Structures are given as structure tokens and as C-alpha cells.
Amino acid sequence: MTNILLTGSSRGIGAAIAEALDRPDVAIIGHGTASGIRADFSEPAAPRALWAAALDQLDGRIDVLINNAGVFEPNPVDSPHDEWVAEWERTMRINLTASAELCRLAVTHWQARQSGGRIVNIASRAAYRGDSPAHWHYAASKAGMVAMTKSIARGYAAEGILAFAICPGFTMTGMAEDYLASRGGDKLLADIPLGRVASPGEVATAAKFLALEAPPSMTGGVIDVNGASYVR
């Protein structure tokens, strides 16, 4: 049995990952307001509390950590200074610091057990391509997540601790018309050679592969799921 902690499992990509991992040989604990264990990652104590609760429900053993929880909220550069800094710090805490805390807890858990384990971090195309002028903080948080993933992979591979990242582009997480209208519609699609945004299920397929099947030599790898809208 593979025990998995998945953050942000209530909707969108997280819900699709939970569905993809719904199989007899997997025990999954989700985190989110609509499913799983509730934890507000804007609160500094939340990651440790979530980890402890998940460990308790999984009989003291977690084999895979999937960090998917995050926020994507605008932060215009002309906002009042204190508001801009507060929003920067909120996004960093939720998207990066909480994930880093959970990664640290996972690494030390596996070291203590001498068992090895896997981390899958859901980052973003923005980590490489950047994002809009109102989303410096989001792009920076996701770039930090990719750098953290690579550092973990390099630092702990010899102990059987593997780390991977996925960088989705725009993903269809709501009604198609509303989604496209809010992000530019035809202009957005014109920037995606595939001609459509990704589905949550496509990202979930990559997450399932990395969590359960990817060969150890892939550790440190980053998988793009963006319809060739950004290629490296």
C-alpha cells in the first residue's frame, strides 16, 4: 500500500489527481475545504498540523507528498505599498513556504524511517515564462518551487528520496466560456499551439506517473503540460 498526502484536493487539478490515484493499492489523504483535512496555509502553523493529522490517519507512514495547493490572485504594481507587500507575502507563504515546510517534514520522515519517498510539486509554466504584470508574486513562488524540487532531488537521491515537478500552463478548472473569457479568449488560445488549454485530467496523469511509476533516474525532472505554449 502506498500512502499519499495530497494538498489542494478539493477541486480542479487536485480533485483530478485524487481521482487518478483512486485505486486499491493507494491510501490517499486529501487537504482542502471541501474534502480531506482542513488547513489554512496562510497560517504558519497549518503545514505542521496537516502533516501530523495525515500521519495519524495513515498509521504513521507517508510515502508520497503531492504539493498542489496554491493561490493565483492579482497584485497590481500600483497598489498601496503595504498592500502589495502583504499580498506578496501571502502568496509566498501559501504557494512556496507551506510546500517547503511539508517537503522538509517529508524528507526528515523518510530519513528517520530510512525508507525513501517521493515528492511531486505542482508548479507552473510561469516559473520559466513569467506571468502578467499583476502576478510577479505567483511566478516567483512557482520558480522557487522548481528550484526547491531540484535541490531536494540533488541532495537526497542517494537516500532514495525523489523529487519531481509539473509545470502546467492554463488549465480548464471551471466552465469553458467563463475560463476563456476571463483570460483573453481567442488571444489565449492563439498562444497555445495545441489549440486548447489543458484539462485537469492531463495534469493528473502526469502526477500519477511521477508519484507511482517514474523511474528513480528521473528525479529532479520537470514535466511541462502546456500545449507547447512554452518549450524549454
Side-chain angles (χ1 to χ4, degrees):
M1 181 70 70
T2 301
N3 292 349
I4 298 177
L5 171 59
L6 165 65
T7 71
S9 63
S10 295
R11 61 185 185 272
I13 290 172
I17 293 173
E19 182 178 357
L21 291 170
D22 183 12
R23 43 191 269 183
D25 60 341
V26 170
I28 184 167
I29 295 295
H31 145 260
T33 55
S35 67
I37 304 168
R38 295 193 176 196
D40 181 356
F41 283 171
S42 67
E43 298 294 332
R48 286 185 67 186
L50 172 64
W51 180 265
L55 268 183
D56 184 60
Q57 293 190 30
L58 292 169
D59 297 323
R61 175 176 57 84
I62 293 173
D63 304 303
V64 178
L65 167 65
I66 304 176
N67 279 311
N68 169 71
V71 292
F72 181 80
E73 299 167 345
N75 193 23
V77 71
D78 57 356
S79 297
H81 180 78
D82 289 349
E83 292 180 15
W84 190 90
V85 172
E87 183 58 35
W88 176 280
E89 292 180 345
R90 167 180 155 79
T91 292
M92 287 295 174
R93 166 145 290 281
I94 294 172
N95 288 9
L96 182 57
T97 304
S99 295
E101 291 185 46
L102 289 169
C103 286
R104 176 180 174 272
L105 289 165
V107 167
T108 56
H109 173 67
W110 296 326
Q111 287 178 324
R113 295 178 59 89
Q114 297 183 334
S115 62
R118 293 183 178 225
I119 293 169
V120 180
N121 288 323
I122 309 301
S124 170
R125 175 186 71 174
Y128 292 99
R129 173 174 148 152
D131 212 290
S132 80
H135 292 92
W136 298 6
H137 54 338
Y138 177 80
S141 71
K142 294 302 186 177
M145 180 176 268
V146 169
M148 177 178 68
T149 302
K150 292 177 178 291
S151 297
I152 293 168
R154 289 176 56 83
Y156 308 103
E159 300 174 62
I161 296 171
L162 312 178
F164 312 93
I166 300 173
C167 284
F170 284 111
T171 305
M172 186 66 72
T173 56
M175 294 299 291
E177 293 84 355
D178 292 342
Y179 185 97
L180 295 176
S182 69
R183 291 165 175 81
D186 293 342
K187 182 179 179 181
L188 181 152
L189 292 178
D191 192 40
I192 304 174
L194 187 62
R196 62 171 177 82
V197 297
S199 71
E202 289 177 302
V203 182
T205 296
K208 175 185 174 183
F209 170 69
L210 294 176
L212 301 177
E213 303 166 8
S217 288
M218 276 190 67
T219 191
V222 180
I223 293 182
D224 295 320
V225 186
N226 64 46
S229 60
Y230 186 77
V231 293
R232 296 180 284 119

